[in-house]
Amino acid sequence: MSETPPGNLLLALQNPELYNHPVDGFQIIETHISQVILTGQYAYKIKKPMNFGFLDFSTLAHRKHFCEEELRLNRRLAEPLYLDVLPITGTPQQPVIGGEGEPFEYVLKMRQFRQDQLFDHLQETDALKPELLCSLARQVAAFHDNLEPIPDDKPLGTPEAVYDAMQENFDQIRPMIDDNHLLRQLDNLEAWTRTTFERHRELIAKRRKSGSVRECHGDLHLANITVYDGKVTVFDCIEFNEPFRWIDVINDLAFLLMDLESRREPALANLILNTYLEYRDDFEALPLLPLYKAYRALVRAKIALFTLSNPVLAEQEKEELMQRYRNYAQLAEDYSHIPNPYLLATVGLSASGKTCVSAVMAGELGLIRLRSDVERKRLHGLAPLEDSQSPTGENLYSAEANEKTYDRLAKLASDLLAAGLPVIADSACLKVRERALFASVAESQGVPFALIHCEAPEELRKAWIRERKSDASEATEALLEAQKGWFEPLTAEESTYTAHLHTDQEHVAEAVADRIRQHFGLPPG
């Protein structure tokens, strides 16, 4: 049997005299597992005495433990928000928060934040700015990097556990739908999941063995991210179920990407992914993304069906939930489509707009972006924004370092293309040898290839260099001068597969993205 706290406790807690701080008024937020009392400056969260199997708050000891877990886990990313676990003593009619005596309940004390700063609200009001997402991606990358890998003796994150979680979706969804079209779709998704999992079983096992399974957030989506005190803050991770959070880091990220894509924000999802990869060298994980994103979409689809069983719902609410199921199931099906990889590579002198163009094109076309400025520093143990203090043509920019950088870009591009992912290499490619390297990669993988030649007036390029900040590029005006003698003009053959962009003109990247779609026979954006 579960312990049930008295029903009048919530009412009794709405007394300003119980709190050691000013109270602006009371507002209650209720979910199926908790109740949150908003007071203006602080929020107090009480766990309901529920047992759903995957979640057990049925005893006071369990609720205390999971309040403490919620505090511990969320302080990793949101320390300013998560303050303390406090006992509730006294009686349900006259409770005391943080008092002496035998507790009959526990409450998690948090700082209250503005609801209109939640990322889901910002997205719905077209206020989710790219700089917020870049900050989020960097934060998630650092978070994943700093987590301890799963101990060998902890039986979580294995290929079997990964597949069981995916199979559970199908087993639970199937009895809740009776539409033949939806059942056929579910059967096809189940078959695709099984064959895709088997194809990647060894990679899943390898990543666990190499430490990629970690104690992650587990519930990384827009409604659990806010701007607090001017900083992007991720909160409300999974505290109640270890298998839900001891997962591959790319599975953690997949939820955020899927959430953005379900909201028809593929360019923002692409920005998150490429920024994350700049700060975390985890290109190896990318073949698993479609599988994990489809899994996350089907979890959301399943929740819609679970909610549909509520007997008090109106007909319109039921129709909306059924449509939500269809939307998520369709998104999962979209992830199962056969990929159409191709390779693009930029060409141009420093500060000619290559980075801006490649970023826009990556968002427009869903490309993985490889940046020479980032990978060059990674080869030397530097973060993207660290200053190498290398003179022009020396150290990181010597001929030897340059060759190693292009070899790395080519190797990464080859691996990603082999996994079915389209790629854009953002680099100067001033030498015929460097451009030929990418052409040979595309040829060996049997995919289309194009060069994107970026040009801009010299004075404008100098101005852009002077204005540039918070970027991996270390180009200087001295480098611009030196590059004039390094650039080897495009050959006649190269010109046949080169698009020329004058980057001082507006919307050129979007225009060339449309040309690429048409040239390679891609679906419209």
Side-chain angles (χ1 to χ4, degrees), residues 8 15 33 38 64 90 105 178 195 225 273 287 308 366 519 525:
N8 58 358
N15 177 1
I33 62 172
L38 304 181
K64 178 176 186 282
E105 194 55 84
D178 55 13
T195 57
I225 308 164
L273 177 58
L308 193 62
H519 186 69

Side-chain angles (χ1 to χ4, degrees), residues 381-450:
L382 298 177
L385 299 183
E386 281 190 75
D387 187 353
S388 73
Q389 300 183 346
S390 298
T392 299
E394 299 178 30
N395 300 342
L396 262 67
Y397 303 97
S398 67
E400 180 183 3
N402 206 51
E403 186 171 333
K404 288 181 178 178
T405 299
Y406 277 90
D407 286 345
R408 173 170 170 78
L409 292 172
K411 175 66 166 59
L412 286 172
S414 182
D415 291 346
L416 293 170
L417 292 168
L421 296 158
V423 176
I424 185 165
D426 170 14
S427 60
C429 272
L430 299 179
K431 307 288 187 182
V432 171
R433 181 254 174 198
E434 295 159 358
R435 301 191 292 267
L437 196 59
F438 290 123
S440 67
V441 165
E443 184 177 4
S444 66
Q445 292 294 335
V447 301
F449 175 60

Side-chain angles (χ1 to χ4, degrees), residues 35 67 121 146 196 298 303 329 404 414 428 498:
Q35 296 162 320
C67 279
H121 177 81
N146 293 327
T196 305
L298 285 172
I303 290 171
K404 288 181 178 178
S414 182
T498 300

Side-chain angles (χ1 to χ4, degrees), residues 462-483:
K462 289 180 179 179
W464 283 346
I465 278 186
R466 290 191 293 268
E467 296 166 3
R468 180 180 278 162
K469 56 183 178 181
S470 299
D471 187 72
S473 174
E474 297 181 345
T476 62
E477 291 187 54
L479 177 63
L480 296 189
E481 197 62 34
Q483 283 183 340

